[in-house]
Amino acid sequence: MGIIEKNEYEATKKISGMLLLIFASAVITGCSATGADPEETADKSEQAIQAVIEKEFNGPDEKYEELLDAAMEAQISEKYSEDYEAYLESPEYEALMGYMEETYAPYFTDNGYDNFINQAAFMYSTFDGEYQLSTSAIEIAQNEKEPTLYDFTFQVEYTDENGESSQFNFEGDAIAPEEGKIGKIQYLDGFEDGLLAKLQNNE
């Protein structure tokens, strides 16, 4: 084999080796992305669900209340009362939206976050009076037939300004279409004898 032929052979050998390495890396990466361990996926989704329950029902959230009050005062002020578009760019409104995003966005898909913020977020933190909420006995189970579905139960202890406590049982379900990201979550209160009714009656 001549020097030129040998150099061409070595170059071809190196290129072939590099292509094989790149191909192997792509296959490994693809397997890691698409073949995630179901238990690990379930764990991350369960962690997201538990985090949302704890953030919503351990409270009330005093920082949210403070930011909400400031945003509402700004909205009715002379500066913004007749200019809603300007209000949406106000520091008070942006601070409120920023805190809501910081608190809940990491646990949701984009659509899931928007729906939760518009319908359920901080629902138990906006009542007058002195009270405390704390969660316990959170149980989350992944559906055996539909792995993106989760059922859960938990308890909330309500303590009023006199130190008297009551226990409320909740159940609900969630959909986690992406690993660790909630698309939808809902929990059932007891309506007439539930926590919301208790909070409303004590205002």
Side-chain angles (χ1 to χ4, degrees):
M1 181 182 293
I3 295 176
I4 295 177
E5 292 176 337
K6 184 176 181 180
N7 289 341
E8 289 177 352
Y9 171 76
E10 293 293 339
T12 303
K13 186 177 176 183
K14 285 182 180 179
I15 292 172
S16 298
M18 290 176 64
L19 290 174
L20 181 61
L21 183 61
I22 292 171
F23 175 75
S25 298
V27 170
I28 292 170
T29 302
C31 290
S32 298
T34 59
D37 185 347
E39 291 187 5
E40 183 178 344
T41 301
D43 287 346
K44 289 184 178 179
S45 296
E46 289 175 8
Q47 288 169 12
I49 294 167
Q50 179 161 340
V52 169
I53 292 171
E54 290 176 341
K55 288 178 180 296
E56 188 67 11
F57 290 94
N58 287 323
D61 189 313
E62 294 180 358
K63 184 172 182 179
Y64 171 77
E65 289 184 282
E66 179 184 333
L67 293 172
L68 178 64
D69 288 344
M72 292 177 68
E73 289 179 10
Q75 186 176 7
I76 62 176
S77 67
E78 293 182 4
K79 186 175 182 180
Y80 300 116
S81 61
E82 297 182 1
D83 191 346
Y84 187 67
E85 293 300 321
Y87 166 69
L88 295 180
E89 297 179 356
S90 68
E92 293 86 357
Y93 179 81
E94 290 185 347
L96 176 63
M97 292 297 103
Y99 182 69
M100 295 174 77
E101 183 175 354
E102 173 189 324
T103 303
Y104 284 117
Y107 308 107
F108 286 89
T109 63
D110 290 343
N111 288 337
Y113 170 73
D114 290 339
N115 291 332
F116 183 72
I117 287 300
N118 292 328
Q119 298 174 11
F122 300 102
M123 183 182 296
Y124 295 83
S125 288
T126 56
F127 293 90
D128 294 333
E130 295 292 327
Y131 65 96
Q132 287 293 320
L133 305 177
S134 60
T135 57
S136 61
I138 300 174
E139 299 287 342
I140 304 170
Q142 186 180 29
N143 190 290
E144 294 182 0
K145 295 182 179 180
E146 296 291 339
T148 61
L149 301 181
Y150 296 82
D151 297 311
F152 54 82
T153 59
F154 60 95
Q155 294 180 342
V156 179
E157 182 179 47
Y158 163 81
T159 305
D160 65 18
E161 58 186 4
N162 298 317
E164 297 181 1
S165 298
S166 305
Q167 288 281 353
F168 294 87
N169 296 319
F170 281 79
E171 60 182 34
D173 54 68
I175 301 173
E178 301 175 22
E179 182 179 354
K181 298 287 185 178
I182 302 167
K184 182 180 180 181
I185 187 170
Q186 57 185 2
Y187 22 76
L188 300 178
D189 204 338
F191 301 105
E192 292 183 1
D193 59 348
L195 179 57
L196 277 178
K198 182 77 170 178
L199 290 167
Q200 290 168 346
N201 292 334
N202 289 345
E203 280 195 308

